[in-house]
Amino acid sequence: MATFLYRLGRLAFRRRRVVVMLWVAVLAAIGIGAMSAPGTSSGALSVPGTQSQKAIDLLRKEFPQASADGATARVVFEAPSGQKLTSAANKAEVESLVAKLEKSPQVSGVSDPFSSGLVSKSGSIAYAQVSYKVAEADVSGAAHAVQTDVVQQGEKAGLKVSLGGNAVEDKAASKAAELIGVGVAAVVLVITFGSMIAAGLPLLTAILGVAAAVLSVTLATHFFDLASSSTTLALMLGLAVAIDYALFIVSRYRNEIRDGHEPEEACGRAVGTAGSAVVFAGLTVIVALSGLSVIGIAMLTSMGLASAFAVAVAVVIALTLLPAVLGFAGMRIMKGKMLTRRMKALERGEGESMGVRWARFVTRNPVKVLAVSVAGLTLVAIPTMSLKMALNDDSGKPPGSTQRIAYDTLSKGFGPGFNGPLTVVVDARDSDSPKVAAQDAYTMLSKLDDVAAVRPPSFNEAGDVALIGAVPKSAATSEATKDLVGEIRGHGTALHQDTGADLMVTGLTAVNIDVSTKLSDALVPYLAIVVGLALVLLLLVFRSIVIPLKAALGFLLSVVSTLGVLVAVFQWGWLKDLFGVDQTGPIVSLLPIVLIGVVFGLAMDYEVFLVSRMREEYVHGAEPTQAVVEGFRHSGRVVTAAAVIMVSVFSGFLLDDEALIKSIGLGLATAVFFDAFVVRMTIVPAVMALLGHRSWTLPEWLDRVLPNVDVEGEKLRHALEAEQTGSAPEPVLAGVAAGIHAGSDVHGAAHSFTGIHTSGAPDTPAPAQRAPGKARGLSRFKERLARGRDATAPADSTESQAPARRKLLKNPMRRS
């Protein structure tokens, strides 16, 4: 693979104009196609095989007028202080508003508060239930406008009017998180490279890649029904991994330039080595995200596949468009006008970076570091044992929003259960007495302790399917309501034995409970599939059994620790004021499984980026501990920068007012922090220092079976050395090869830039033969760096060796 990617990188570098034009043409074609796409759908939860979904399918058939899967809204009215809605003036105003709602576009029915008994005992609060013919995402702007007019008209009359339900339009999502993330990424990249050009390339290619991915997802809606959240997750992850991948390749490209290679050769080597790591890192992310489809929830499937596609685009962009852009940047990418004094010293090979010092500290004290790290994460993970999950409702909306006001007002007037009513369906098509079966179900519901109110059964036209409304006393997300749904379903068995009728519970609350249960049940199989496939990939990459197992166990440790933080903050209320959480409750059931998919992919990114360089040093002859230190020398800074960017991007979501978005932001930011800094940069080197050579062992029989994908570029290195041996004088080859293949931006650069005196070589071309253009710029860069390192070579040695070195670095793959 490394050889193929080497050729691809050099080809894209040489044919940069063609590559860029092709990408522009692809973007234009996708954009034109996306303009006419129908767009994403609401992504309403559909869980085939669950009782709630079976009931919805039956209602759609037997009660088409009820719009069982249509959007709903509750319009809540509250009389002015000291007044009642039953007074003549207030009642007339409410009825006028209800009449206006009935005339609204897409409305299938509105329940009148006074005739339906939807007025509180105090007479000060009432609500109207509005049912729409269409799903949540298809509610038109005209229908939303009527909702707004009703609120404004009611408030002019002195009433307090608020809106709840999924048919109510949320306020426009803030773009602060994305802007903060891009801004922080730019700052971190500038600090990492000390160059505006080097920092700008990852951002430029990442933005282009995300645009291609999001437009492609939109285009796919011509053929598939995709949830609206698909583009959001694809945008977030596509931007994150695209910056990471470009950062890794650009960093390796600059190291190859410092090692004395011409820009085109440096690009080929960077793509051949770092690009191989990018391919396998991308594959692990794609596996993790595609695994969401095994859960059987359409919304999660579309989210996972769309995000996996965005990651695949990011990989292709990094391997094709980025080398082309590097070709346009040329030697200017090495200009570091924004370098600090310490960074300039490190560029000259003076001193050691913080990453190297940290790696040496960990490898000198592996037992202590490992014990402290594992104990700390285990302690943080303890709250996970109290994890409770539920889907979010309007109680999680920001305080002051119309949905939250409506929720609180209904709870005050009727009790919290009115925000999550249950729909009980009696399927008596196989019963001899449908009316008796429905009456028995009604009587059973009325006797349950946690039921606040029951609406009498209503039948379909055939009179064999009944619909009964039940209101719990407890909130929709409470354990009591979950237990109530289970109790009602339990009584259905007895009803079937007595009357032959089937009893099913549905409605938004029951659907949420079923989804939460299915997600909980799917956690272990999902983990097994994703981790198993990723272990196979890592086994191919590192040709070691220990490293994949260590990577998976470290990921599990970081995930349970993250869930512990979420439980402590959002469920127990610890530090809730710091994060702006005004109400505690169960963790959103979608969050843990999405967290696992996203973070597993990112964690394997860091594992591949960091350990692949360690393996490269190891197979080139370094001792195990030295390989760990050298891996940090080359990749520690890049992984740190990538992790800081990720944490900053995800932390930006903490600025959102909604509890769900806050929990997603805190969960992802915490997981990346734990996994990158505690697991990958602390536990991993400690374990590898303890195991030594055993970290890289593989049984002989397995070594023979597994294909060698050559991620570290060992085959490429030998091929280049062989070609150079046959095409250059021996004295020059020995000196240059030592510099080229030292494998370090410090030691290798020292060899290649000081030079080897070869004035006695008969085949050395004269200085007048040196080629103009980019080679001249590279030579000037080498000379400056050599002077900064107090090179002791004769003044004319660099000049005399340039033609021979340039001959050595010609692309061996292009020779006929």
Side-chain angles (χ1 to χ4, degrees):
M1 175 177 287
T3 303
F4 168 76
L5 293 178
Y6 169 85
R7 294 173 177 173
L8 179 63
R10 293 199 62 158
L11 177 64
F13 189 99
R14 279 196 313 275
R15 306 297 184 188
R16 47 189 173 271
R17 290 180 176 82
V18 175
V19 173
V20 170
M21 290 175 61
L22 285 174
W23 271 109
V24 170
V26 169
L27 276 172
I30 296 173
I32 293 172
M35 290 175 61
S36 60
T40 55
S41 68
S42 64
L45 289 173
S46 175
V47 193
T50 60
Q51 188 183 108
S52 55
Q53 188 62 45
K54 292 178 181 177
I56 288 174
D57 295 339
L58 179 61
L59 289 177
R60 189 183 295 118
K61 177 182 177 182
E62 301 295 336
F63 293 85
Q65 72 281 3
S67 301
D69 54 351
T72 59
R74 290 189 195 87
V75 183
V76 183
F77 308 98
E78 186 174 9
S81 180
Q83 298 184 26
K84 293 186 177 182
L85 291 174
T86 51
S87 66
N90 289 335
K91 183 177 180 180
E93 182 62 31
V94 170
E95 289 177 340
S96 171
L97 296 176
V98 170
K100 190 169 188 175
L101 288 169
E102 290 174 341
K103 297 177 182 178
S104 173
Q106 302 176 320
V107 167
S108 62
V110 180
S111 57
D112 182 87
F114 302 104
S115 60
S116 302
L118 303 179
V119 180
S120 65
K121 293 180 180 179
S122 64
S124 60
I125 297 174
Y127 72 94
Q129 184 82 9
V130 185
S131 300
Y132 289 84
K133 301 175 183 176
V134 295
E136 173 186 345
D138 300 322
V139 177
S140 64
H144 288 308
V146 172
Q147 295 173 0
T148 304
D149 291 344
V150 166
V151 172
Q152 293 174 348
Q153 181 179 329
E155 290 178 346
K156 286 180 181 178
L159 302 176
K160 296 178 183 178
V161 184
S162 52
L163 305 172
N166 61 0
V168 180
E169 188 175 27
D170 284 319
K171 67 175 183 179
S174 172
K175 299 299 180 183
E178 288 85 349
L179 294 176
I180 290 173
V182 173
V184 171
V187 172
V188 172
L189 289 170
V190 169
I191 293 174
T192 302
F193 292 124
S195 164
M196 292 295 292
I197 295 177
L201 292 185
L203 285 176
L204 173 63
T205 55
I207 291 171
L208 292 176
V210 166
V214 172
L215 288 174
S216 298
V217 171
T218 305
L219 179 63
T221 60
H222 275 298
F223 315 101
F224 307 102
D225 184 21
L226 300 178
S228 56
S229 52
S230 301
T231 54
T232 303
L233 190 60
L235 172 64
M236 180 178 67
L237 283 182
L239 183 64
V241 299
I243 293 175
D244 274 7
Y245 298 161
L247 169 64
F248 195 55
I249 291 178
V250 169
S251 176
R252 186 60 181 261
Y253 172 74
R254 283 162 57 93
N255 285 344
E256 296 293 341
I257 290 287
R258 293 191 191 99
D259 282 350
H261 300 124
E262 299 289 348
E264 183 179 329
E265 176 71 10
C267 183
R269 289 173 180 258
V271 176
T273 52
S276 298
V278 165
V279 169
F280 280 90
L283 281 176
T284 58
V285 183
I286 291 170
V287 166
L289 294 171
S290 301
L292 290 172
S293 59
V294 306
I295 297 171
I297 297 178
M299 184 181 72
L300 281 179
T301 299
S302 64
M303 288 171 62
L305 294 180
S307 302
F309 177 78
V311 173
V313 171
V315 172
V316 176
I317 286 276
L319 299 179
T320 56
L321 181 60
L322 179 60
V325 178
L326 288 174
F328 285 108
M331 290 300 300
R332 288 174 294 179
I333 200 171
M334 302 302 296
K335 294 180 180 179
K337 296 182 179 180
M338 305 182 72
L339 291 173
T340 64
R341 182 178 302 177
R342 175 175 174 76
M343 291 172 66
K344 290 178 181 178
L346 290 174
E347 293 278 357
R348 295 193 300 267
E350 300 172 1
E352 292 181 338
S353 66
M354 186 179 296
V356 172
R357 293 201 302 271
W358 173 251
R360 286 186 172 152
F361 169 77
V362 172
T363 53
R364 283 197 301 266
N365 306 278
V367 176
K368 295 178 182 178
V369 170
L370 183 62
V372 171
S373 301
V374 173
L377 289 180
T378 304
L379 185 65
V380 175
I382 289 176
T384 305
M385 293 185 290
S386 301
L387 176 66
K388 296 179 181 178
M389 294 190 297
L391 285 183
N392 59 310
D393 58 9
D394 286 346
S395 63
K397 298 293 183 182
S401 64
T402 186
Q403 294 98 323
R404 180 64 176 274
I405 294 172
Y407 183 94
D408 293 340
T409 304
L410 273 179
S411 297
K412 180 175 69 174
F414 299 91
F418 271 76
N419 285 290
L422 304 175
T423 300
V424 180
V425 180
V426 180
D427 181 6
R429 290 176 295 178
D430 296 330
S431 173
D432 296 331
S433 305
K435 294 189 181 298
V436 172
Q439 186 60 40
D440 288 350
Y442 175 80
T443 303
M444 178 269 296
L445 292 170
S446 302
K447 294 179 179 179
L448 296 179
D449 293 335
D450 200 38
V451 173
V454 183
R455 189 178 67 243
S458 57
F459 288 88
N460 61 343
E461 291 184 3
D464 53 7
V465 177
L467 196 61
I468 305 174
V471 177
K473 292 180 181 178
S474 307
T477 58
S478 68
E479 283 294 313
T481 300
K482 183 178 180 180
D483 294 339
L484 174 63
V485 171
E487 185 179 3
I488 294 173
R489 288 172 172 171
H491 284 292
T493 304
L495 182 68
H496 180 76
Q497 292 175 351
D498 294 340
T499 64
D502 293 323
L503 183 145
M504 296 176 286
V505 184
T506 188
L508 184 59
T509 300
V511 169
N512 288 351
I513 291 171
D514 287 345
V515 170
S516 297
T517 301
K518 185 158 188 173
L519 288 172
S520 299
D521 295 341
L523 272 177
V524 174
Y526 174 66
L527 268 175
I529 292 173
V530 170
V531 173
L533 291 175
L535 285 176
V536 173
L537 284 174
L538 293 177
L539 187 64
L540 290 173
V541 172
F542 298 121
R543 305 189 71 78
S544 163
I545 293 179
V546 172
I547 290 177
L549 290 175
K550 168 186 56 64
L553 292 174
F555 158 74
L556 293 175
L557 189 58
S558 61
V559 164
V560 294
S561 301
T562 301
L563 291 176
V565 171
L566 291 175
V567 171
V569 174
F570 291 93
Q571 200 171 299
W572 292 358
W574 292 6
L575 301 177
K576 67 175 186 178
D577 294 334
L578 177 64
F579 296 106
V581 179
D582 68 297
Q583 182 173 322
T584 59
I587 303 301
V588 178
S589 53
L590 288 173
L591 180 56
I593 205 155
V594 172
L595 183 73
I596 288 171
V598 172
V599 176
F600 184 82
L602 298 179
M604 294 305 104
D605 272 4
Y606 302 141
E607 178 79 11
V608 171
F609 290 163
L610 193 60
V611 181
S612 64
R613 194 58 192 257
M614 296 178 188
R615 174 170 172 77
E616 184 175 343
E617 297 296 331
Y618 180 77
V619 298
H620 289 175
E623 289 298 313
T625 300
Q626 184 61 27
V628 171
V629 174
E630 290 301 314
F632 270 80
R633 185 189 304 279
H634 296 289
S635 300
R637 187 180 184 87
V638 177
V639 171
T640 300
V644 169
I645 290 172
M646 291 288 179
V647 172
S648 303
V649 168
F650 297 142
S651 296
F653 290 99
L654 288 169
L655 300 176
D656 199 282
D657 294 329
E658 194 164 338
L660 171 61
I661 305 300
K662 283 181 182 290
S663 64
I664 292 174
L666 180 62
L668 292 175
T670 303
V672 171
F673 177 83
F674 283 160
D675 202 272
F677 295 112
V678 182
V679 175
R680 307 301 154 192
M681 303 189 75
T682 305
I683 294 177
V684 166
V687 171
M688 296 183 71
L690 286 173
L691 294 178
H693 289 284
R694 287 171 294 180
S695 296
W696 307 104
T697 56
L698 188 69
E700 291 186 5
W701 66 269
L702 190 56
D703 185 49
R704 291 192 298 268
V705 172
L706 289 179
N708 189 352
V709 295
D710 192 29
V711 174
E712 68 280 352
E714 181 68 5
K715 291 181 179 178
L716 173 64
R717 175 174 175 264
H718 289 315
L720 293 175
E721 285 179 344
E723 291 293 338
Q724 290 170 2
T725 301
S727 61
E730 186 64 28
V732 179
L733 175 66
V736 178
I740 293 174
H741 301 299
S744 168
D745 57 332
V746 177
H747 305 296
H751 285 297
S752 59
F753 290 155
T754 55
I756 303 296
H757 189 63
T758 57
S759 58
D763 296 334
T764 303
Q769 295 176 351
R770 76 185 293 156
K774 61 183 180 183
R776 189 183 305 121
L778 181 60
S779 298
R780 286 199 298 269
F781 173 75
K782 297 178 193 175
E783 291 165 2
R784 288 199 304 271
L785 190 56
R787 288 197 297 272
R789 292 179 177 175
D790 298 324
T792 58
D796 63 340
S797 64
T798 302
E799 188 75 19
S800 64
Q801 291 178 64
R805 183 181 294 115
R806 193 163 55 250
K807 182 179 180 182
L808 291 176
L809 297 177
K810 288 179 64 179
N811 182 5
M813 305 302 172
R814 296 173 55 198
R815 297 182 59 185
S816 57

